[in-house]
């Protein structure tokens, strides 16, 4: 994407050393999300080259994201990309198709080609919480604040966050967090498995660097194939998972053999 396209999408992108860092860049409104940001995110993820092993997602200005741009729910404030209230004029199928498009970048974060890491400081509310949940790992400050606000607004979380939330904390805790729309502090997020690393704000960048270093230390193919195995494990029978392990290992053996094979003519 060109710098102008990134700026239009309210995103920043840095790529180097096998790591792509995507920054939600609307600090003036706490990185509130709108469709142009989701479309930009989908394009970035689509266009990442094969060398990228880790995708870091973070927010500008000391907060992750305050969720959906609430002006989109205000009929008095039409947005250039369409006020969500206008969506009510569509038939059910069209609304479902529209949400499908919005969900796409959230789902793309599960791609086994790379490991995705959300860096959560400040607030992760609603769509912000769901975006963090769609990443494989969450590194949070101890005073970060996660909140699934949607039920309080009469909505359901529909940006791919429900499945990873249940996977992270279990059904009962997920229901309690969503139904009450309460705020979960970073410290608690660490205790219940919502965040994998929790540190004081001053240590956030060092913790991120250490995590990224560890995630990029081992062969890319093995790490990606392992991510794919683990992702699919809950939905498979034991026998199907064993088969998937065997099949993946054959591909690993072939890769390793090719890497150690003497070059032709040696
Ligand atoms: N959409 C649009 N603008 C927002 C949003 C949002 N989600 N969140 C914050 N802003 C704007 C505020 O209106 C304010 O604008 P202004 O400077 O023009 O007045 C600016 O960002 C700063 O916000 P403050 O409330 O002053 O910042 P503070 O740090 O005190 O609070 C907080 C941050 C807690 C995130 C608060 O702004 C908030 O509760 N925002 C709304 C969160 C929300 O309900 N999101 C929707 C969830 S549901 C979903 O995502 C589907």
């Amino acid at each position: 994407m060109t710098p102008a396209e990134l700026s239009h999408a309210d995103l920043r992108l840095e790529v180097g050393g096998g790591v792509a860092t995507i920054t939600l860049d609307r600090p003036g409104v706490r990185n509130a999300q709108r469709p142009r940001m989701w479309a930009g995110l989908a394009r970035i993820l689509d266009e990442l080259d094969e060398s990228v092993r880790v995708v870091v997602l973070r927010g500008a200005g000391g907060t992750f994201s305050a969720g959906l741009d609430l002006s989109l729910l205000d009929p008095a404030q039409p947005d250039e990309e369409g006020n969500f209230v206008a969506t009510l004029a569509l038939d059910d199928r069209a609304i479902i198709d529209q949400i499908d498009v919005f969900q796409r970048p959230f789902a793309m974060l599960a791609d086994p080609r790379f490991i995705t890491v959300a860096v959560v400081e400040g607030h992760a509310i609603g769509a912000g919480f769901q975006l963090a949940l769609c990443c494989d790992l969450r590194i949070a400050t101890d005073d970060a604040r996660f909140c699934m606000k949607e039920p309080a607004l009469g909505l359901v979380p529909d940006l791919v966050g429900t499945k990873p939330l249940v996977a992270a904390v279990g059904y009962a805790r997920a229901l309690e967090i969503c139904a009450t729309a309460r705020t979960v502090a970073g410290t608690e997020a660490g205790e219940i498995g919502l965040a994998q690393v929790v540190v004081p704000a001053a240590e956030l960048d060092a913790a991120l660097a250490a995590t990224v270093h560890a995630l990029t230390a081992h062969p890319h193919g093995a790490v990606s194939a392992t991510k794919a195995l683990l992702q699919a494990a809950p939905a498979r029978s034991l026998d199907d998972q064993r088969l998937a392990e065997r099949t993946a290992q054959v591909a690993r053996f072939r890769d390793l053999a090719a890497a150690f094979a003497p070059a032709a003519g040696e």
Side-chain angles (χ1 to χ4, degrees):
M1 284 172 81
T2 65
E5 287 169 333
L6 283 167
S7 165
H8 178 76
D10 308 309
L11 294 169
R12 275 190 275 134
L13 173 66
E14 291 161 60
V15 184
V19 181
T21 301
I22 303 169
T23 304
L24 315 182
D25 196 17
R26 288 185 88 196
V29 288
R30 305 296 183 262
N31 305 316
Q33 302 172 28
R34 44 188 174 176
R36 66 173 75 173
M37 182 184 275
W38 300 331
L41 189 53
R43 234 186 106 190
I44 289 174
L45 294 171
D46 223 18
E47 292 174 2
L48 286 178
D49 74 58
E50 292 300 317
S51 68
V52 172
R53 308 189 49 173
V54 172
V55 174
V56 174
L57 207 54
R58 60 189 316 174
T63 209
F64 186 70
S65 171
L68 183 72
D69 185 328
L70 289 171
S71 70
L72 292 165
L73 300 177
D74 178 359
Q77 294 196 37
D79 181 274
E80 68 184 70
E81 51 214 301
N83 193 293
F84 279 21
V85 178
T87 304
L88 295 175
L90 302 175
D91 64 33
D92 291 4
R93 185 72 250 168
I95 296 174
I96 286 169
D97 290 347
Q98 176 70 267
I99 297 172
D100 184 32
V101 172
F102 294 157
Q103 289 174 329
R104 190 164 165 258
F106 292 78
M108 288 170 78
L109 291 163
D111 193 322
R113 281 185 302 151
F114 37 69
I115 294 180
T116 47
V117 181
V119 180
V120 182
E121 49 187 332
H123 295 271
I125 303 176
F129 190 5
Q130 295 191 69
L131 191 58
L133 280 166
C134 287
C135 291
D136 296 308
L137 307 176
R138 282 151 294 284
I139 299 179
T141 57
D142 52 11
D143 59 356
R145 298 171 78 76
F146 298 83
C147 173
M148 198 66 89
K149 187 81 172 284
E150 285 83 345
L153 301 176
L155 302 169
V156 298
D158 67 346
L159 293 168
V160 195
T162 56
K163 193 171 170 68
L165 180 61
V166 171
V169 302
Y171 161 76
R173 178 65 71 199
L175 179 62
E176 181 264 326
I177 288 170
C178 293
T180 62
R182 75 174 173 93
T183 294
V184 178
T187 309
E188 183 189 350
E191 289 162 3
I192 64 176
L194 198 53
Q196 286 61 51
V197 178
V198 179
V199 290
E203 295 168 25
L204 186 62
D205 285 339
L208 173 63
T211 302
V212 167
H213 180 74
L215 291 173
T216 52
H218 303 300
H220 191 176
V223 173
S224 293
T226 304
K227 173 173 169 178
L229 274 174
L230 295 174
Q231 279 179 321
R236 285 201 190 113
S237 69
L238 184 59
D239 279 347
D240 286 348
Q241 184 69 5
R242 289 198 305 125
L243 174 61
E245 289 174 357
R246 298 196 296 272
T247 308
Q249 197 69 302
V250 171
R252 292 287 82 234
F253 287 160
R254 302 276 180 239
D255 262 24
L256 289 170
F260 289 115
E266 273 183 27

